[in-house]
Structure formats: structure tokens, C-alpha cells
Amino acid sequence: MKPLLFKVPTIDDRSFRIEQDRMPHFYGHLHFHPEVQLTLIQEGEGTLIVGDKIDRFAPGDVLMLGPNLPHVLRSDPDYYQPESTRQSVAVSVLFRPEQLEAGVLNLPETLHLRQLLTESQHGVRLRSSDNPALTSQLENLPGQRPFDQLLTLLHVLDELATQPDREVLSVTAYVQPQRPDDHRRLERVFSYILEQYHTQITLDDVANIASLTPGAFCRFFRQHTRKTFSTLLNEVRIEHACRHLRESKQSISQTAYVCGFTNLSNFNRQFKTITGLSPSDYIRRYNS
């Protein structure tokens, strides 16, 4: 099992790297890297985990993820099926913040961009469906010459920094574990939960995955995620339940069962706690 640290290839004569990804599904393991990542999701849907935030990602999402902030874009299960023809497509810019901060972001005119970098330590999202100009700028980046790419990157950062509807994702900035073993434990636990959320997962199960006693695992998990294990598991299950309620014709009770709940009243209670709505109210709001 590889540790969480993700090595981004560098280019000696460039201060940033542009990547175009087209694949059956996105990289599905919780990871981090020292670069800031600015990503436009062009195709693909699934579960987004950024720090302590669990949500959906979808086409049109623009994400800005700060240095060493653990994150994963876990594509929906149907993307992993052998017969699937679905694609996950994104364009990303990765850069070391200190390189821009030592240069162009050291000017008084770019104070708001430095503030945006601070926000990125929590993760930032803007849904660009109502901002086609921003989407177009990011989509055009790979075909531009390096100088124009730099100008476009600054334009995009300026757009993000001045959008009042941008969303800060994680409540707390992430402090990365100091020991490689802790990285591996977190990655194993998150991967297991994302793959097995629909089954009956016990505290003993995840403690064994982390190679810890149940008591030690509870302390470890809260220290590194600011959540209890049961809270995170419920959030993952409810996130998938929301997708089921929007996209399938299954009843509320069927949805609860396929998302790992064995008690309907508990499902209803957890759903309202996490979303602020009952399942039936959620369906009515989505279909209105």
C-alpha cells in the first residue's frame, strides 16, 4: 500500500503544470501533494472528500485544493464496471504556492489572490455552470503558450477570488499526520468505507483495517479527521442516498437499505441531521 503522498511530475522551466485527464474513473484513493490543485470537472460524477467535507462532485465544478490537503474524487460505482462507457474528464493546474507568492502574488494588486490561497487550505469550490467564461478559460489552457497560460491562470484565480458564491469546503484546515504509518492507515480506512459503505461495517472491522485496537482507532480517527467513525460513515451513506433519491425510482426504504441502513427511522434521522431535510422533503425539493 503506497502512502498518501502523491508525487506530481515537475517541469524544470515552468512554475506550474497543466494536466488533461480522460479516463474511465478518477484516481480513487485519498491523497495529498504539496502543490495547489485547481481543477475543472468536465465529465464525471461521484463522491468528493476534501479535508472533513464529504459531498458530490459533478461536471462544472471548479475545485481549488490547497497544499497537503487530503482529497479524493471517488467516481460512482458504475464507472468501475468493465462494460462501462462512461468517462471522467478534467483539466487541472498544479503549482507550488511559494513560487507564485515570491513573484506575482507579492504585489499589492494581488492581495486578494493571496487571501484565496489561504482559503484553499480548506478547499474551495465554485459551480461554474452559470459562468461559461470561467469554464472556457480553463478548457483552453492546455493549448496556449506558456506566457498566455500564466495570464489565464491569474484571470481564473481573480475570478474565483471575486465570486461571492464560492464555497469553502472543509471546516478546519488540515494538519497532516507526521508518521507515514498514519497516512497508510487513513488511506486504507477511507478506501474501505468508500467501497463497502453499503455493507454492515463495524468499529472492529475498521480498527482491524487500521491495525489498531478499537479504542486506539477511535482516538486516531478523531485526531486526524475531527469526526467519529460513525459520523463519517453516515455522511458517506447519506451522500449516496441523496444520489439514489435523485436518480432512481427506488422508495425511501429501499434507498436506506441499499446505502447500508438497516433501520428506516435511523436513516430518516441521519438524513435530516446531515442534509437539514427529511428524505421526502428532499425528493420534493429536487423534483420541484
Side-chain angles (χ1 to χ4, degrees):
M1 179 72 67
K2 295 181 179 179
L4 281 167
L5 179 62
F6 190 85
K7 179 67 174 176
V8 176
T10 58
I11 304 175
D12 291 339
D13 61 346
R14 299 291 301 277
S15 59
F16 55 90
R17 177 182 178 85
I18 295 175
E19 295 182 350
Q20 275 189 301
D21 294 318
R22 180 177 293 273
M23 58 195 79
H25 51 78
F26 290 123
Y27 182 71
H29 298 282
L30 189 75
H31 64 286
F32 69 92
H33 40 70
E35 294 83 6
V36 175
Q37 177 177 332
L38 177 64
T39 294
L40 167 67
I41 306 296
Q42 296 169 286
E43 295 182 39
E45 297 180 76
T47 300
L48 170 71
I49 297 179
V50 175
D52 60 17
K53 177 72 170 182
I54 299 175
D55 206 343
R56 295 286 294 169
F57 69 86
D61 282 359
V62 176
L63 303 169
M64 186 171 176
L65 310 174
N68 299 315
L69 177 63
H71 59 277
V72 61
L73 281 74
R74 178 79 178 187
S75 301
D76 283 336
D78 51 331
Y79 285 82
Y80 293 86
Q81 298 304 314
E83 68 277 8
S84 175
T85 59
R86 304 190 72 175
Q87 289 284 300
S88 298
V89 183
V91 58
S92 298
V93 185
L94 297 110
F95 60 90
R96 294 289 185 105
E98 61 270 16
Q99 291 182 304
L100 287 185
E101 287 174 330
V104 68
L105 297 192
N106 201 29
L107 301 172
E109 292 82 3
T110 57
L111 174 62
H112 63 306
L113 303 188
R114 296 199 299 276
Q115 293 171 338
L116 178 65
L117 284 181
T118 299
E119 283 186 15
S120 77
Q121 296 173 19
H122 300 257
V124 174
R125 173 171 59 190
L126 179 69
R127 302 185 190 276
S128 68
S129 54
D130 295 327
N131 195 329
L134 178 62
T135 300
S136 178
Q137 288 183 84
L138 285 165
E139 289 177 336
N140 291 335
L141 266 172
Q144 296 175 337
R145 64 190 183 98
F147 181 75
D148 290 331
Q149 288 176 335
L150 175 59
L151 294 180
T152 298
L153 174 59
L154 294 176
H155 277 297
V156 169
L157 294 178
D158 176 65
E159 186 72 23
L160 276 173
T162 55
Q163 286 293 320
D165 55 344
R166 70 183 182 277
E167 175 188 4
V168 176
L169 295 171
S170 181
V171 173
T172 55
Y174 187 80
V175 179
Q176 61 177 334
Q178 297 300 309
R179 299 190 307 169
D181 282 351
D182 289 346
H183 293 308
R184 287 189 284 268
R185 284 193 176 105
L186 279 176
E187 198 280 329
R188 289 200 301 268
V189 169
F190 271 82
S191 292
Y192 183 76
I193 291 172
L194 290 173
E195 292 170 1
Q196 302 296 326
Y197 69 91
H198 57 287
T199 66
Q200 294 310 299
I201 302 176
T202 67
L203 177 59
D204 286 340
D205 292 334
V206 289
N208 287 333
I209 292 292
S211 301
L212 294 170
T213 65
F217 172 78
C218 289
R219 292 189 294 274
F220 164 83
F221 198 77
R222 182 180 284 276
Q223 176 187 356
H224 292 297
T225 67
R226 284 87 171 179
K227 297 176 186 283
T228 64
F229 157 68
S230 60
T231 295
L232 183 132
L233 178 59
N234 283 328
E235 287 176 347
V236 170
R237 285 173 168 168
I238 294 303
E239 184 274 316
H240 282 276
C242 288
R243 179 173 62 90
H244 275 272
L245 293 176
R246 291 194 308 268
E247 299 177 2
S248 77
K249 298 183 183 297
Q250 292 179 324
S251 67
I252 291 173
S253 59
Q254 288 173 319
T255 295
Y257 176 76
V258 300
C259 291
F261 290 93
T262 57
N263 183 291
L264 183 58
S265 62
N266 182 44
F267 170 74
N268 289 333
R269 182 170 58 253
Q270 296 297 336
F271 195 99
K272 187 161 188 177
T273 297
I274 292 169
T275 69
L277 298 169
S278 68
S280 55
D281 287 341
Y282 182 88
I283 294 171
R284 281 193 291 271
R285 174 173 290 189
Y286 180 78
N287 291 330
S288 62

